[in-house]
Structure formats: C-alpha cells, structure tokens
Amino acid sequence: MGKEKINVYLYTRVSTLMQIDGYSLDAQMTKMKAFCDYNGYGIAGEYEDAGRSGKSIEGREAFNRMMDDIRSGKDGVSFVLVFKLSRFGRNAADVLSALQVMQDYGVNLICVEDGIDSSKDAGKLMISVLSAVAEIERENIRVQTMEGRIQKAREGKWNGGFAPYGYELKDGKLYINEEEAEAIRIIFDRYVNTDMGSTGIAKYLENHGIHKIARQNGKNPLFDAALIRKIIQNPVYCGKIAYGRRKTEKVIGTRNDYHFVPQDDYLLVEGLHDAIVSEEMWEQAQVKAVAQAKRYEHVNREKGEKTHLLSGIVRCPVCGAGMYGNKSIKHRKDGTKYKDFFYYGCKHRNMTRGHKCDYKKQIHEEMLDEAVAEVIKRLVSNKKFADLMRQKINMEVDTSALDQEISAYEKQLRQCYSNKDAIMSDLDSLDYDDKHYKRRKADLDDRLYRTYDKMDEMENLIAEAKAKRRSILADKMSGDNIYKALIFFDKLYEKMSETEKRAFYEKLIKEVQVYEERQPNGQWLKSIEFKLPILGEDMKLSLDNSDSVETIVALHRTDM
C-alpha cells in the first residue's frame, strides 16, 4: 500500500500587476508547483491575491478564503506553500496570528524560496525573526522618507504637494501667482482691518465677484469659511515654511488606522519663497484668531449681571451704528439712589473709531425688549405662519454635489494608499545583489515621496469638503431649531433665561430699527429684519390695540 499523499494549498500575492521580475504571480506559481512535484505534494487549492498589499491581512479576499477553508478542514491539507514569507504578509503580528490559527488546525507554512518550514522549531523561529525584520524595514523606509522632508523644511524649501493658493510651483520652488495672490491679500486685509470673520469674508468675496481660480487641487469656485481660516493660519503666506503642524497618530484600538492631530510645537523657518503678506499682518491675524476663539468660549456670567437682549442688534436711527445696553442710576432729590435705569444708546455717541453721532436719546430697554417679543408672539399666533414654519423644517438640504466630491477624493486617496503599498512591496522585494539596486531603490523612494505628498493633499481636500458639508447640515439644524422655537415662542419665551433669550435673538434677528422720537402710542419700535427667511412676503403688524393704528411694524426677511 503506497504512502498517503500530502495535500497542500498554494498562495501567491503581488502588490501590483507589474511586479518586479522574478516575483510575478506566474513566476511564484511555477516555482511552487515544481517544489510540489519534487516532494510529491498534492495541490488541493490555489489562492491568488493580485494587487493586494501585505501590510495587513484585511482586504485580501483570497487569503481570507483560504483561512476559512483551513478552518473547515474540507481538503485535509497539511501545508500552505508561499514563494517567500513576504508574500504571506509583512505585518509581524498578522503573520504570527495567522500562523497560529493554521497550526491550531494542524496546518503549517512552507516558504519555498526562504527554505522555511514552520512545522520545525527552527522554521517557526525564523518566521518570527523575518516577520519582525520586514516590519522594521518598512518602518525605517517611512522614517527615512519623513527625515528627508524635515530636512527640506529646515532649508526653507517647499515640502511637496500642490502649491498653496496664491503660489505656483516651478522646479520645486514656490513663486507668487499674482492672479491668485490678490484674493489672499484681500482676505488678510479684511480680516485684520475690519471686524469681519471668516464667514463674513467669504460672503464679501462672493458679493464682489472674487472667486477661486480652478486648479488641480480644487474646482470649487467659492472661498468658503473653512478655507479662509486655513489661509489665515498658514504661515507660508508671510514667507515661512512650517513642518509638523499636524502629527499622524494611530487610532487607539486599531491596527492600521491613523488620524491627524494638530501640534502646538512645530518647525517654522524662513522660506526661500516670497511672502504675499507682511509678517506683521500675519501675526495680527493670528492674534485676532485667538481672540475670536476665546470670544466663542462659554463664559459663565456673574450672578446678577444684566443681559441686554438686543445690544448691538438695535440700530441707531441717525447713523445706523449699533446701539448697546447701558445703565444709569436714578437718584432722588435728596441724593439717595432711586433705581437702575437700563437703556440702549448709540455706540458713536462718544467718539468711536473716528466717528461721532449726535443722537443722544436713551431708549428704554425693557420697553423695546417687550415690544419685539410682542411682535413675534403676534406673528407666530397666525396659523398660516406656523404651517409655513413646519414646511421649512421638513425641507431637505441637497449635499449630493459635496457627497460626490468627497467620494471622488476618497477614491483617489484609496488609490494613493494602494500605490504606496505597491511601492513598499517593491522596496521589500528588491534584490541587494542586483547591480542596479541603488538606482531601483532611489526611483522607488522618489515615487514613495510623491505618493505621500498626494496622500496629504487628498486628506486635506477630504477634510475641507467634509467640513463644508458639516457646516451646511449644521446651518440647516440651527435653522430648524429656530423655526421650532418660533412655533412655540409664546410658551417658551417666558421660560427662557435672559442668556437663552439673547442667544435666540442673535440667531433670529439681523437688526431692529427704531424711530428717532418716541411715538404717540409710547412705542420706539419701527421694524424688525430677520436673519432667516421666515416669511414669504413682508407683513405688517400693529402694536396698538385701538382702531386707529399709529404704529406699524414691518417685518422684513433676509435670505441667508
């Protein structure tokens, strides 16, 4: 009776379809079949992963199918044959984990070219060592690439990727693109020399017909707030080169997932390129950015501090500037304090920024606050208005164009990762004895460097597009909350704190107009202009309950 034939699985893998000669799928398979013929092994199955990285087992369909077949025991195999250990995997943890699973089912690994058999103690030790060496080499390549980029930054050179808007790249050096740079100068000028924020500047540029010029790393013609913030914070525009502003960190609980973390301590040197704005202006922009960030932090008001509900929202009837809440103390004839009197006064009543207004009226704060609340209560009591609000809440926001843009960028990023893995695999497969080894390695290093640049660019574009999408959805959500609050305004208003009322008015009202003189019916309120498009057409409401209407409040809308 003859000896029972040993059954084996053959596994082949290449990272790219154009693998280095000697390691193609056909070459791997030919040598392994010759090995099986020599040893009298029966081939029970062939598994092939073409264009798959060895960095991780995840995503290798044929490999995972082979592991499932091993667990099922359907072919009774004793070995898995691979051409080299690097074809099985280049992540030490993955290699050893998969090997342990195989051995749990009585299956061992043979690496034909390396002469390794995991069924023998020496073979298992060699697998552990070679797996670790392969992973260390992979990390060394990454570190060497990063060191090269750091050195370029230290020398003030542009560190790869597309040129930032306002510049063009020629022979690896940045040159000012005057056609684009004008918008950069306007952005910094508006930000530093006016009270505009990034959102206001975005609207200013759009209203003045200043659009982005389409280029390879951005087809959106508009400067959105997120992009403007990135421009303002980028030191390249004042002639600097920064490196390490973001650090790639591993996501805790994952093996191969990473994310960017902003860094406070990073390399900043004088660049070889010309500045578009002065260093002084750039520094002023950073000071304002920090101040604005603090302004939006939640600050607990001191107990008993007065909240001026319409401060800055009320407009002076003479100069149009904001009127702000103030307090004066009323005294009796004997000099003792009688009460605190709160009022709105023009901010230009005293000389402010070179402007002076002669309007000295003090508009009774409580009276104006109550008038605005009363107008809104009368507005929302209208059934037609409530129905209109509910329709607006149910309206859908179209983000399909952004979704397609994000999908396209993510596809390009996946391709970048695939290219990177292919290059890493090619580096791993280089033959040190090849007389062209140095040239091959230099070419691959250069390709890897450019791939990392492309990955950075795609990740930035994805982050920018996702931020834009979140902003649109957040605006929709914010608007919906205002509409819902309006529907139940008469019930909610009395229960709101002063701080909540102020926040509500800031979201709802663009400005409140008042008369120069108090009207015969005692009212100051002239009109209210809303931020949100809450009305289909202008409406008029009376604040006078008598038949002869003396005060009319026109409710205007501002489409955002």
Side-chain angles (χ1 to χ4, degrees):
M1 186 173 178
K3 186 177 178 182
E4 186 178 350
K5 199 167 190 178
I6 295 175
N7 288 328
V8 300
Y9 285 152
L10 304 186
Y11 176 72
T12 54
R13 178 187 66 81
V14 289
S15 294
T16 65
L17 296 178
M18 298 296 290
Q19 190 72 17
I20 293 176
D21 292 343
Y23 296 104
S24 68
L25 292 172
D26 289 341
Q28 292 179 47
M29 190 61 70
T30 298
K31 292 193 177 186
M32 286 194 292
K33 285 182 177 179
F35 183 87
C36 290
D37 289 341
Y38 180 80
N39 289 280
Y41 293 159
I43 300 173
E46 298 178 10
Y47 302 85
E48 174 186 298
D49 276 318
R52 296 295 181 182
S53 166
K55 180 185 70 172
S56 169
I57 287 173
E58 297 173 7
R60 284 199 271 160
E61 296 176 3
F63 183 92
N64 289 311
R65 190 170 67 253
M66 179 183 72
M67 294 299 293
D68 289 340
D69 290 344
I70 289 172
R71 293 185 185 96
S72 71
K74 69 173 189 174
D75 297 309
V77 298
S78 299
F79 293 99
V80 168
L81 268 64
V82 295
F83 180 60
K84 291 185 70 175
L85 181 60
S86 62
R87 301 305 91 205
F88 189 74
R90 291 192 294 111
N91 181 302
D94 277 349
V95 168
L96 297 177
S97 175
L99 180 58
Q100 184 61 59
V101 172
M102 288 166 52
Q103 291 182 329
D104 288 343
Y105 290 89
V107 180
N108 278 286
L109 178 68
I110 292 178
C111 306
V112 174
E113 186 76 0
D114 299 324
I116 296 173
D117 182 346
S118 72
S119 64
K120 299 177 175 58
D121 290 339
K124 188 168 185 179
L125 176 61
M126 281 301 296
I127 287 174
S128 299
V129 172
L130 291 177
S131 296
V133 169
E135 189 163 354
I136 290 170
E137 177 62 19
R138 178 172 170 268
E139 179 62 19
N140 285 341
I141 291 170
R142 189 189 70 83
V143 171
Q144 290 168 11
T145 302
M146 292 302 104
E147 282 296 327
R149 301 180 76 180
I150 292 172
Q151 184 57 38
K152 284 188 71 176
R154 290 195 184 105
E155 296 170 1
K157 297 177 182 178
W158 178 241
N159 212 0
F162 293 120
Y165 195 85
Y167 288 97
E168 56 188 348
L169 200 58
K170 295 179 181 177
D171 299 324
K173 185 178 178 181
L174 293 178
Y175 294 90
I176 295 177
N177 181 329
E178 286 298 338
E179 192 176 6
E180 295 179 348
E182 187 58 30
I184 302 297
R185 296 188 183 99
I186 292 172
I187 288 170
F188 275 92
D189 176 68
R190 294 280 94 190
Y191 192 73
V192 171
N193 297 319
T194 72
D195 59 358
M196 287 184 183
S198 54
T199 301
I201 294 173
K203 291 181 179 178
Y204 174 88
L205 295 175
E206 183 177 0
N207 292 338
H208 286 75
I210 302 171
H211 296 155
K212 274 176 59 184
I213 297 172
R215 44 150 65 190
Q216 68 272 40
N217 60 331
K219 306 299 182 183
N220 186 346
L222 300 180
F223 288 92
D224 58 48
L227 175 59
I228 289 172
R229 283 192 292 271
K230 286 177 65 177
I231 288 172
I232 289 167
Q233 294 168 3
N234 195 341
V236 74
Y237 293 112
C238 67
K240 307 283 188 182
I241 289 291
Y243 185 84
R245 296 172 69 199
R246 298 184 306 165
K247 182 180 179 182
T248 304
E249 290 187 358
K250 189 170 179 289
V251 178
I252 296 174
T254 68
R255 179 171 294 171
N256 298 303
D257 293 337
Y258 295 84
H259 65 146
F260 287 117
V261 178
Q263 303 294 303
D264 294 327
D265 185 19
Y266 56 87
L267 178 66
L268 186 65
V269 299
E270 290 292 337
L272 300 180
H273 63 284
D274 294 328
I276 292 178
V277 300
S278 68
E279 187 172 346
E280 180 184 6
M281 175 170 279
W282 188 83
E283 290 290 352
Q284 289 175 340
Q286 307 320 298
V287 171
K288 179 175 177 179
V290 172
Q292 283 190 326
K294 289 183 177 179
R295 186 185 307 168
Y296 289 112
E297 290 177 358
H298 178 70
V299 179
N300 292 322
R301 291 178 174 272
E302 296 181 6
K303 188 176 180 180
E305 184 180 346
K306 171 68 175 174
T307 300
H308 305 283
L309 302 185
L310 300 172
S311 191
I313 299 175
V314 184
R315 296 293 170 178
C316 173
V318 173
C319 71
M323 300 183 75
Y324 289 82
N326 290 286
K327 179 179 77 171
S328 66
I329 300 174
K330 300 295 184 181
H331 295 87
R332 295 185 179 90
K333 290 182 179 180
D334 60 4
T336 59
K337 179 181 176 180
Y338 171 53
K339 67 175 181 178
D340 292 335
F341 175 71
F342 295 96
Y343 67 92
Y344 294 112
C346 179
K347 75 173 182 179
H348 290 327
R349 181 175 175 182
N350 297 315
M351 183 70 73
T352 304
R353 295 183 183 177
H355 300 284
K356 184 174 177 62
C357 180
D358 294 327
Y359 188 68
K360 295 180 172 58
K361 295 286 184 180
Q362 296 180 344
I363 297 178
H364 195 291
E365 185 172 312
E366 184 178 356
M367 181 180 293
L368 186 60
D369 291 349
E370 289 178 352
V372 170
E374 180 63 23
V375 167
I376 297 175
K377 286 178 182 178
R378 294 191 185 191
L379 179 66
V380 301
S381 65
N382 184 298
K383 185 180 182 303
K384 183 179 179 181
F385 175 84
D387 291 340
L388 179 63
M389 293 301 96
R390 290 188 176 90
Q391 290 175 19
K392 291 183 179 296
I393 292 171
N394 293 328
M395 286 176 62
E396 294 293 330
V397 174
D398 184 11
T399 60
S400 57
L402 272 176
D403 291 338
Q404 291 175 6
E405 185 178 331
I406 292 170
S407 179
Y409 290 148
E410 287 177 338
K411 182 178 179 181
Q412 291 184 59
L413 182 60
R414 286 194 297 271
Q415 184 60 51
C416 287
Y417 272 103
S418 178
N419 292 343
K420 183 201 71 172
D421 290 338
I423 297 168
M424 298 289 279
S425 180
D426 290 348
L427 282 165
D428 181 56
S429 301
L430 284 175
D431 184 356
Y432 290 96
D433 295 327
D434 186 343
K435 67 177 182 179
H436 298 302
Y437 171 78
K438 289 185 178 180
R439 289 183 177 180
R440 287 179 184 267
K441 188 174 186 303
D443 289 343
L444 289 170
D445 283 343
D446 183 60
R447 284 173 54 196
L448 184 63
Y449 184 85
R450 284 185 277 111
T451 300
Y452 275 124
D453 290 340
K454 182 70 173 179
M455 286 165 60
D456 282 348
E457 185 66 28
M458 288 301 104
E459 285 164 347
N460 287 334
L461 289 172
I462 290 171
E464 181 181 328
K466 286 186 175 179
K468 194 183 303 178
R469 188 179 188 279
R470 285 195 300 271
S471 176
I472 291 172
L473 294 176
D475 287 344
K476 163 67 174 168
M477 188 178 297
S478 176
D480 285 353
N481 289 336
I482 294 296
Y483 293 141
K484 290 173 185 176
L486 277 171
I487 293 172
F488 301 103
F489 181 81
D490 56 338
K491 298 180 177 66
L492 292 175
Y493 189 75
E494 299 305 325
K495 297 179 180 179
M496 289 180 181
S497 67
E498 293 292 295
T499 302
E500 289 170 338
K501 289 177 182 177
R502 169 67 187 181
F504 178 75
Y505 281 152
E506 285 179 333
K507 291 285 187 181
L508 176 66
I509 300 174
K510 180 181 180 182
E511 62 181 48
V512 171
Q513 297 286 351
V514 294
Y515 292 104
E516 285 190 50
E517 300 291 339
R518 188 174 176 182
Q519 297 301 288
N521 69 346
Q523 292 296 337
W524 288 97
L525 182 58
K526 181 179 182 182
S527 67
I528 302 172
E529 187 171 355
F530 293 97
K531 287 184 177 179
L532 296 174
I534 65 171
L535 301 171
E537 57 185 16
D538 287 354
M539 294 179 60
K540 291 186 177 182
L541 292 175
S542 170
L543 282 174
D544 188 22
N545 292 325
S546 65
D547 291 336
S548 60
V549 177
E550 297 180 1
T551 300
I552 298 294
V553 180
L555 305 176
H556 305 288
R557 67 188 180 96
T558 301
D559 294 340
M560 294 185 71

